[in-house]
Amino acid sequence: MNEFGIFAPMVGVNNATLHFADRAIFNSISFIVNKQDRVGLVGKNGAGKSTLLKTLAGIQQLDGGSISFSSGVTVGYLPQDMDFISGRTVWDETESSFSTSLEIQKNIDEINHQLGIREDYESESYLKLLDDLSDLNEKLSLMGVDTMEAEIEKILLGLGFKREDFTRQTDEFSGGWRMRIELAKILLQNSDLLLLDEPTNHLDIESIQWLEDFLGTYPGAVVLISHDRAFLDNLTNRTVDISLGKIYDYPAPYTRYLELRKERRELEFAAYTNQQKQIKETEDFINRFRAKATKAVQVQSRIKALNRLDRIEIEEEDNAAMRFSFPSAPHSGRVSLRVEDVSKKYGDKLIFSNVNFSLERGEKICLVGKNGGGKSTMSRLIIGEELTSGEIELGYQVKVGYFAQNQAEILDQEKTVFETIDEAATGEIRTKIRSLLGSFLFGGEEADKKVKVLSGGERARLAMCKLLLEPVNLLILDEPTNHLDIRSKEILKDALLRYDGTMILISHDRDFLKGLTDKLYEFADGDVREHLGGIEEFLRLKKADDIRTWEADKPKQMVGGEKKQNKARNDANIYQLKKDLKKKLRSQKSEVNKVERKVAQLEKELEEMNEVLKAPDAYSNPNNKELIENWPKVSENLEKSMEIWEKEESKLEGMEKELNELEA
């Protein structure tokens, strides 16, 4: 708050301009970030989202304009990729985020040592040591050092680590897990402004939910990039859209932003159309009467009015998007995959044991569970990349297409986009490489870029492009949406919905998973359990069973009477669950019927309006003025009601499936 009692912005971006080669990344953009803002940065891959975070973090310099911070503001920045420090345990590395506190504690220990060995109690230097000790203890208290260990433990557990992981070397963990350590360090610093570049990319569903809760109550401001639509909707209160060097600031989370953007563009286009009509009529008048002396005054008046007119410009919209379909799946046998009694260990660590399942042709499943549970391991076993006990057998004429979790990262950095695809392509497809690359937004000079200069999303698109080089009938996709922007994810999802082959999907993106699969396999505590239904039914079931304890240790083995007591409790719980579910089911059926009646009423109303508007003079008849004005509202209400009906009907089907499972 400033001297006038007005809340001053924490960060101000003023006419920021930045160019890469001849392309404007930012063209005189301005916006502010206030304390406790939750800002989602959105835009196409390569639009400049990550670059904007880098400028706010002070890593990327601007060509023009400025970025100003309120006095004393601290900034925490999590990039997409980074180099890691080795030679420390998880706990020590995380604790390093308290480096200032640890240095103060070291100074306190040194002063205490000096005070313990000195006897010149009345000297100035001794009294100064006492003053220094008091000041340092006060600083340490303000930093919350007393709760430091508890905070480290809370955040590491929230991000998916187990207590036994705390003493392991960071070198033992994958890049994804080491990014979690970096995220923990950023969160522990308690900065005034958090800049997070795709923080959910390496998190499982439960860790994302924990992060949502943590950031929701975070005392500072948060500016983040995420391609997880649900995460943005649940967390943000502002959306800043970066497009073609400009920004558009909306005071709303992602889904509402889409609606507001559509409304804004419709209003702008209507105003633009009306003004163009006015300009044309004025120009026609000027041209018609320019030569007539009797109209000279009116003509000059119209010319002056035209020159004074503040002309409306319609922003150029960046509508470029991927466009592709997976090739039709070649014919295969009825059974695509059979997994029998499969177990996997790394040294003494058991990943899973005695896994059994099979996939029929055309079936689509999802593997879920916290990271480290064995989902990616199972995908590598299926393609034969690793050895295992048990039996994994592909069906007759089954051909596998595999997208690895780190597919985008393992591309050759020195090759161009064209060379990457050209080397992997064989046969007739080699004559269509330019066309294929164009479908993935690598047209013209973009195809000649080296992989090392591509953004994370562009690399992900290139890796996805490689999958289309030949038809397959079993797709295995391990986190295919990492780094893809929201529009690209929607296009990929649509392509997968139309894909007619068999699919195994690993993803932590709840919104992406909705409607894609009708069966899930949960990897947890060395077991693999089958769940019928989609991700929404799975999460609803987990919430009923307290999803926050999903990662808890397995209960100890029970014996004798304990088993009987537990069975009785389970039977009672199932009875209560069924009872509660049936009650909710009745209420949901009533809700669906209510919405259906509203849809039917609106359809009838719209049909009657359309009948009136069929008349040749319908739009010129003054009696139809109110009807013409109301038609868009009725049509929009019908569209919204249909969306509500689909949502409620889907919820009803999910409840019915859940009840059938409980009664089975």
Side-chain angles (χ1 to χ4, degrees):
M1 185 178 291
N2 62 21
E3 59 184 309
F4 302 106
I6 301 171
F7 282 98
M10 181 183 292
V11 183
V13 178
N14 311 296
N15 296 317
T17 299
L18 179 66
H19 289 80
F20 286 165
D22 59 347
R23 177 185 165 218
I25 305 299
F26 310 131
N27 190 5
S28 296
I29 64 172
S30 298
F31 68 97
I32 62 172
V33 179
N34 296 304
K35 186 176 176 63
Q36 293 189 326
D37 268 352
R38 300 290 184 269
V39 183
L41 293 182
V42 301
K44 295 176 63 61
N45 290 135
K49 302 185 297 295
S50 295
T51 303
L52 181 54
L53 282 194
K54 288 176 183 176
T55 61
L56 291 172
I59 296 170
Q60 174 70 53
Q61 298 300 310
L62 295 170
D63 294 334
S66 64
I67 298 177
S68 57
F69 293 85
S70 296
S71 177
V73 167
T74 56
V75 178
Y77 170 55
L78 179 78
Q80 269 188 45
D81 303 295
M82 63 192 307
D83 296 324
F84 302 110
I85 298 172
S86 299
R88 288 177 174 172
T89 65
V90 170
W91 184 274
D92 290 341
E93 181 60 32
T94 309
E95 191 181 47
S96 69
S97 62
F98 292 93
S99 56
T100 303
S101 302
L102 295 172
E103 186 62 31
I104 291 174
Q105 184 62 60
K106 183 180 176 182
N107 291 338
I108 288 173
D109 292 341
E110 178 60 29
I111 290 174
N112 281 326
H113 175 70
Q114 289 293 323
L115 293 174
I117 62 175
R118 288 176 60 164
E119 297 180 355
D120 53 335
Y121 307 123
E122 303 297 329
S123 68
E124 278 190 32
S125 60
Y126 190 91
L127 293 175
K128 182 164 188 319
L129 283 176
L130 290 175
D131 288 341
D132 290 345
L133 182 62
S134 177
D135 290 343
L136 291 172
N137 276 319
E138 187 177 349
K139 283 183 182 178
L140 208 56
S141 177
L142 290 172
M143 290 179 176
V145 72
D146 293 339
T147 60
M148 181 179 74
E149 291 190 356
E151 284 297 304
I152 291 175
E153 183 173 301
K154 181 183 81 172
I155 288 179
L156 285 177
L157 291 174
L159 291 175
F161 290 93
K162 293 182 178 179
R163 284 185 175 84
E164 53 264 37
D165 293 330
F166 295 172
T167 55
R168 293 173 59 192
Q169 292 288 310
T170 58
D171 308 50
E172 299 176 32
F173 291 87
S174 67
W177 280 94
R178 296 185 77 172
M179 285 301 294
R180 293 192 191 208
I181 297 172
E182 295 304 319
L183 176 57
K185 288 163 62 178
I186 297 296
L187 299 180
L188 285 163
Q189 288 169 10
N190 206 28
S191 302
D192 299 311
L193 173 63
L194 283 182
L195 307 173
L196 306 177
D197 196 344
E198 299 194 33
T200 64
N201 260 3
H202 303 287
L203 302 182
D204 51 53
I205 289 173
E206 186 161 359
S207 297
I208 292 173
Q209 290 175 328
W210 177 88
L211 184 60
E212 277 179 13
D213 293 341
F214 183 92
L215 293 178
T217 58
Y218 190 76
V222 181
V223 180
L224 63 91
I225 299 168
S226 177
H227 298 139
D228 185 330
R229 183 171 182 159
F231 184 71
L232 289 171
D233 277 339
N234 293 340
L235 182 62
T236 60
N237 55 21
R238 279 175 65 191
T239 300
V240 172
D241 180 4
I242 305 176
S243 178
L244 300 171
K246 301 177 183 178
I247 65 163
Y248 303 91
D249 197 343
Y250 296 84
Y254 185 78
T255 298
R256 178 61 181 147
Y257 138 77
L258 292 178
E259 297 168 1
L260 291 173
R261 184 182 67 172
K262 182 181 177 184
E263 290 171 9
R264 177 180 65 82
R265 288 191 60 78
E266 287 174 350
L267 289 172
E268 283 180 350
F269 187 73
Y272 172 79
T273 303
N274 288 335
Q275 189 183 71
Q276 290 299 306
K277 181 181 177 184
Q278 178 189 345
I279 291 170
K280 186 176 186 307
E281 289 172 352
T282 303
E283 288 175 341
D284 287 346
F285 180 90
I286 293 168
N287 292 331
R288 193 183 324 152
F289 298 110
R290 188 187 295 274
K292 292 192 176 183
T294 56
K295 296 287 185 180
V297 174
Q298 292 96 320
V299 167
Q300 288 303 312
S301 175
R302 299 284 175 100
I303 290 174
K304 288 177 182 177
L306 207 57
N307 291 335
R308 288 195 305 267
L309 189 65
D310 186 11
R311 301 203 177 211
I312 298 170
E313 294 183 358
I314 295 293
E315 71 182 76
E316 182 186 356
E317 187 167 23
D318 191 354
N319 287 317
M322 287 196 304
R323 55 189 191 281
F324 76 97
S325 294
F326 287 98
S328 295
H331 183 72
S332 65
R334 184 178 62 83
V335 176
S336 295
L337 174 69
R338 187 170 55 82
V339 176
E340 285 189 0
D341 298 326
V342 169
S343 300
K344 183 63 180 177
K345 278 185 176 183
Y346 290 117
D348 294 330
K349 183 177 174 60
L350 177 68
I351 307 301
F352 46 69
S353 63
N354 300 319
V355 179
N356 291 276
F357 67 89
S358 64
L359 289 182
E360 294 197 356
R361 183 179 59 238
E363 196 171 359
K364 294 180 171 68
I365 68 166
C366 180
L367 310 185
V368 298
K370 71 166 191 169
N371 286 356
K375 307 183 300 297
S376 296
T377 300
M378 177 59 74
S379 70
R380 291 193 295 271
L381 296 180
I382 292 171
I383 66 169
E385 197 172 280
E386 295 187 20
L387 299 175
T388 181
S389 62
E391 186 175 353
I392 296 178
E393 183 181 358
L394 295 176
Y396 175 68
Q397 289 189 335
V398 167
K399 188 168 187 178
V400 178
Y402 178 53
F403 185 96
Q405 186 175 147
N406 63 337
Q407 195 78 42
E409 282 74 30
I410 61 177
L411 297 170
D412 189 328
Q413 304 291 300
E414 295 302 321
K415 286 187 169 58
T416 66
V417 169
F418 182 85
E419 288 168 346
T420 300
I421 299 302
D422 186 48
E423 288 188 4
T426 57
E428 185 184 348
I429 192 70
R430 296 198 67 190
T431 64
K432 303 175 182 177
I433 289 176
R434 290 282 179 185
S435 175
L436 179 62
L437 286 172
S439 299
F440 283 83
L441 305 183
F442 293 114
E445 295 179 357
E446 296 292 312
D448 298 320
K449 281 185 176 179
K450 285 198 172 184
V451 170
K452 64 182 178 184
V453 303
L454 301 180
S455 70
E458 289 169 328
R459 292 183 194 185
R461 290 205 312 264
L462 181 59
M464 189 63 63
C465 181
K466 289 181 71 176
L467 266 186
L468 270 65
L469 294 178
E470 52 184 322
V472 298
N473 44 33
L474 173 57
L475 265 182
I476 303 176
L477 307 174
D478 190 353
E479 303 288 8
T481 62
N482 277 0
H483 303 296
L484 285 181
D485 60 57
I486 292 174
R487 179 66 181 132
S488 296
K489 286 200 296 185
E490 289 171 350
I491 292 166
L492 172 60
K493 182 173 180 177
D494 180 63
L496 291 174
L497 285 168
R498 289 182 279 109
Y499 175 61
D500 58 355
T502 311
M503 182 176 73
I504 299 173
L505 177 62
I506 302 171
S507 178
H508 61 247
D509 190 323
R510 295 156 291 178
D511 193 63
F512 181 73
L513 288 174
K514 285 179 185 175
L516 265 182
T517 62
D518 49 20
K519 186 190 294 184
L520 295 92
Y521 287 90
E522 178 193 359
F523 286 65
D525 301 319
D527 293 329
V528 178
R529 293 184 285 275
E530 180 184 87
H531 294 269
L532 298 176
I535 189 64
E536 290 177 293
E537 291 85 353
F538 173 75
L539 286 178
R540 184 162 55 246
L541 181 65
K542 284 294 172 183
K543 189 173 182 181
D545 289 342
D546 185 11
I547 195 167
R548 302 302 178 193
T549 63
W550 189 11
E551 293 182 7
D553 293 335
K554 288 178 70 176
K556 293 178 181 178
Q557 191 69 32
M558 292 171 292
V559 294
E562 286 179 280
K563 287 187 177 180
K564 291 181 180 179
Q565 289 175 12
N566 190 59
K567 184 179 185 305
R569 281 197 296 270
N570 284 342
D571 290 343
N573 288 339
I574 290 172
Y575 171 80
Q576 188 61 45
L577 280 172
K578 287 196 288 188
K579 183 179 176 182
D580 293 342
L581 194 55
K582 285 177 180 177
K583 183 179 178 181
K584 290 179 183 176
L585 203 56
R586 288 193 294 271
S587 174
Q588 186 62 24
K589 285 180 178 177
S590 174
E591 184 64 28
V592 169
N593 290 335
K594 177 182 170 184
V595 179
E596 282 178 345
R597 288 194 296 272
K598 185 175 181 181
V599 168
Q601 177 190 338
L602 288 168
E603 284 179 334
K604 182 180 178 183
E605 187 177 347
L606 197 64
E607 185 178 351
E608 290 171 354
M609 295 172 83
N610 287 335
E611 279 299 318
V612 175
L613 294 174
K614 282 180 182 177
D617 64 339
Y619 289 87
S620 59
N621 188 338
N623 295 329
N624 292 338
K625 182 181 177 183
E626 186 177 350
L627 182 144
I628 292 169
E629 289 176 350
N630 286 337
W631 189 94
K633 297 176 185 175
V634 176
S635 177
E636 185 180 356
N637 284 340
L638 176 59
E639 186 178 346
K640 287 181 178 177
S641 296
M642 284 297 295
E643 289 176 359
I644 293 170
W645 176 82
E646 290 175 1
K647 182 180 177 182
E648 297 300 330
E649 180 68 21
S650 175
K651 195 183 293 184
L652 176 63
E653 290 175 359
M655 288 181 176
E656 288 172 340
K657 276 185 180 180
E658 193 172 337
L659 182 61
N660 290 336
E661 287 181 31
L662 289 171
E663 291 181 334

